[in-house]
Amino acid sequence: MAGITGIGSGMDINSMVGALLQAETAPKAAQLSRLDKAAEAKFSALGTLQGALGTFQTALKDLNKASLYDNLKASSSASDTLGVSAEKTALAGKYSVEVEQLATSSQVATAPLAKDFTAAAAGTLTFGIGADDEKPVSIQVAEGATLTEIRDALNEQLKDKGISANIVNNPADGTSRLVLTSKETGEGKDIQVSGALGDVDFAAGLQTLQPAQNAKFSVDGLQLESATNTVKDVIPDVEFTIKAKTEENKPVTVTVGEDKAGVKSQLKKFVDAYNQLMTTAKDLTRVTSVGEDKAPVTGGLVGDATVRNLVNGVRAELSNPGSGSGDLRALTDLGISLDKDGKLQIDDKKLDAALETNFDQVGNFLTGEGGLMTRMESRISAFAGKDGIIGTRQKSIEAQRSDITKQQERLAERSAKIEARLFKQFNTMDALVGQLSQTSSSLAASLASLPGFGSGN
């Protein structure tokens, strides 16, 4: 607006200019707004489709890895008692394991000491692991050192030795004990203590709370021992983690074999990704009626050839028989079939049976040059990724929206110029009308002052 207008003529110039400007620019502005909203909706819809397709493509690639079918998995019938893992070089087999005892570390306690104990004299305390420890640690204790100070000194200087110290107080008689715990397990790794502080000999009255001992267990009846609870290569390329003793006559069964659970998990991810892709495509092309007097609600890609071609290609490949041999030629042989809504569903019993009896054929059917996953990947590869059909269309829409934005900016500049021109014209007219009005008033006043003008002569 150009300030206060219409003073000379009494006309509402602001409203008049606004109406003319609206008539001049509104149709183009509305058109650009509609185009921008439509482009934004299509870009978003393509992005949703691209996301679902990317998830499906990942599932295909993961299921197409030959290493998935080469993996060996070790399982334990009682994982809270015996954990187990295996390298892919391990041999398949089944083993019976019994655990008699766990490997433990040494824990000892000094004889009871006064709660307010202090070292009567300076001295040296020496600590080692096992009777033949070649590198024991000697700690100097100053005269008057409290039990707390001694504990702190031990923890600081024995941490590399794997020994920790603490104080346990007896509320019944007010005495305290220094308790030492080692991290190192295995027979012969007991904590050794020597040295005295004044008349207190720390080795005297040393009580064993827990002896250092080996783990004792058997594999298929063979009696074995280990200094640690992590046992490697008792069975080549298989590792045990002993966690608890087994109950009498209840051995743990360890099975080393193909990773059927891993393959089944990837197949389920494939089914979920396929169903999500089909659901997304259906939602994006859906037309929903909302009443006789209202326009239907449509998805962002109704009638879109890209969606139609993608879906038809995937479905066609899904129904093509594979190049495999034996009992596996189609997904239905794995217990994976289409339901009435066009979604994949899994028959777990049939899938488990196929993995159990035809594991090698499963890999041959799904992977490799003629495998289902490779064939499906070839169907979707042209659509996926930033340089695929969908990504290219998104780039085109981005360019279109950029052009719309530029047109809107030019329209805004043109609107400003039109507004300025209209205000200039109307204000000029307003000033002229004001001048004519003043001239008329002046003329009327002059005539009225003439002799006889008011007498009717």
Side-chain angles (χ1 to χ4, degrees):
M1 293 186 181
I4 300 175
T5 60
I7 295 176
S9 63
M11 295 184 295
D12 187 353
I13 293 177
N14 287 337
S15 297
M16 295 171 68
V17 170
L20 290 171
L21 186 63
Q22 179 77 2
E24 179 77 19
T25 62
K28 184 64 175 178
Q31 179 194 29
L32 292 175
S33 178
R34 287 194 301 271
L35 289 174
D36 188 54
K37 288 181 179 179
E40 181 183 13
K42 183 154 290 190
F43 183 88
S44 177
L46 287 169
T48 301
L49 182 63
Q50 182 82 287
L53 184 60
T55 301
F56 183 60
Q57 190 175 40
T58 298
L60 294 181
K61 290 179 178 178
D62 288 344
L63 204 51
N64 201 20
K65 293 177 180 176
S67 59
L68 175 65
Y69 308 90
D70 293 335
N71 287 340
L72 286 180
K73 183 179 181 181
S75 60
S76 167
S77 63
S79 57
D80 55 343
T81 298
L82 184 71
V84 61
S85 62
E87 301 290 338
K88 66 179 182 179
T89 51
L91 296 177
K94 186 173 288 188
Y95 310 91
S96 177
V97 180
E98 292 183 88
V99 179
E100 179 183 337
Q101 70 178 31
L102 275 69
T104 58
S105 61
S106 173
Q107 187 176 54
V108 299
T110 64
L113 302 169
K115 190 172 183 179
D116 57 354
F117 171 86
T118 58
T124 300
L125 300 179
T126 301
F127 303 85
I129 300 293
D132 56 351
D133 191 340
E134 297 180 355
K135 295 182 178 180
V137 177
S138 296
I139 298 174
Q140 304 296 321
V141 179
E143 180 181 350
T146 65
L147 197 58
T148 298
E149 291 171 337
I150 295 172
R151 178 201 64 191
D152 294 344
L154 297 184
N155 283 330
E156 176 63 28
Q157 298 182 54
L158 292 176
K159 59 184 179 182
D160 292 337
K161 196 70 174 175
I163 298 175
S164 61
N166 208 346
I167 297 171
V168 176
N169 300 310
N170 186 348
D173 58 12
T175 60
S176 298
R177 292 188 179 210
L178 199 61
V179 177
L180 302 170
T181 304
S182 171
K183 292 181 179 179
E184 191 169 354
T185 61
E187 187 175 311
K189 301 297 182 180
D190 294 292
I191 297 173
Q192 307 293 318
V193 181
S194 62
L197 300 177
D199 57 354
V200 177
D201 186 347
F202 272 67
L206 196 67
Q207 180 181 351
T208 298
L209 303 180
Q210 176 178 277
Q213 62 183 23
N214 288 343
K216 293 183 179 181
F217 59 101
S218 66
V219 177
D220 290 343
L222 297 175
Q223 298 297 319
L224 305 168
E225 292 190 23
S226 169
T228 66
N229 291 313
T230 300
V231 186
K232 297 182 179 181
D233 289 334
V234 167
I235 301 169
D237 302 318
V238 177
E239 179 176 297
F240 294 155
T241 302
I242 300 173
K243 302 176 182 179
K245 292 171 58 177
T246 54
E247 297 182 34
E248 188 175 358
N249 297 323
K250 290 186 177 181
V252 176
T253 300
V254 172
T255 303
V256 181
E258 297 95 345
D259 187 10
K260 300 180 181 68
V263 174
K264 184 176 182 178
S265 175
Q266 290 297 338
L267 279 167
K268 287 188 173 183
K269 289 181 181 179
F270 161 75
V271 168
D272 291 342
Y274 174 89
N275 290 340
Q276 182 58 47
L277 176 61
M278 294 299 117
T279 298
T280 299
K282 185 176 180 179
D283 290 343
L284 292 175
T285 55
R286 187 192 306 272
V287 178
T288 305
S289 177
V290 292
E292 296 181 359
D293 300 329
K294 296 181 180 179
V297 176
T298 59
L301 296 174
V302 170
D304 193 282
T306 297
V307 182
R308 185 168 57 253
N309 293 337
L310 172 63
V311 170
N312 289 344
V314 171
R315 285 176 174 169
E317 200 58 65
L318 194 68
S319 60
N320 284 342
S323 59
S325 60
D327 298 328
L328 296 181
R329 298 295 301 276
L331 278 177
T332 52
D333 297 326
L334 285 173
I336 301 174
S337 59
L338 291 170
D339 64 13
K340 60 182 178 61
D341 296 321
K343 292 184 177 180
L344 290 176
Q345 59 183 358
I346 298 177
D347 182 333
D348 283 303
K349 290 184 178 179
K350 190 171 182 179
L351 176 57
D352 289 340
L355 292 173
E356 187 66 34
T357 58
N358 296 307
F359 188 82
D360 291 339
Q361 290 185 31
V362 172
N364 293 335
F365 168 66
L366 295 174
T367 67
E369 185 175 348
L372 177 61
M373 297 302 107
T374 302
R375 289 185 281 118
M376 279 206 164
E377 171 65 26
S378 67
R379 288 278 190 174
I380 69 171
S381 59
F383 296 89
K386 63 180 181 179
D387 296 323
I389 293 174
I390 297 174
T392 300
R393 288 188 60 187
Q394 286 186 300
K395 291 176 184 177
S396 176
I397 293 173
E398 285 181 326
Q400 180 185 351
R401 293 193 68 194
S402 176
D403 181 65
I404 291 172
T405 299
K406 290 178 181 178
Q407 291 186 59
Q408 289 172 327
E409 291 172 350
R410 288 196 295 269
L411 181 61
E413 293 174 358
R414 180 167 168 265
S415 296
K417 291 179 180 179
I418 293 173
E419 184 182 46
R421 175 171 56 78
L422 289 173
F423 270 118
K424 182 178 180 181
Q425 292 172 342
F426 274 97
N427 287 335
T428 299
M429 179 201 69
D430 183 63
L432 179 59
V433 170
Q435 291 175 359
L436 291 174
S437 178
Q438 290 177 1
T439 300
S440 176
S441 298
S442 177
L443 181 59
S446 297
L447 290 173
S449 65
L450 292 175
F453 181 79
S455 62
N457 296 324

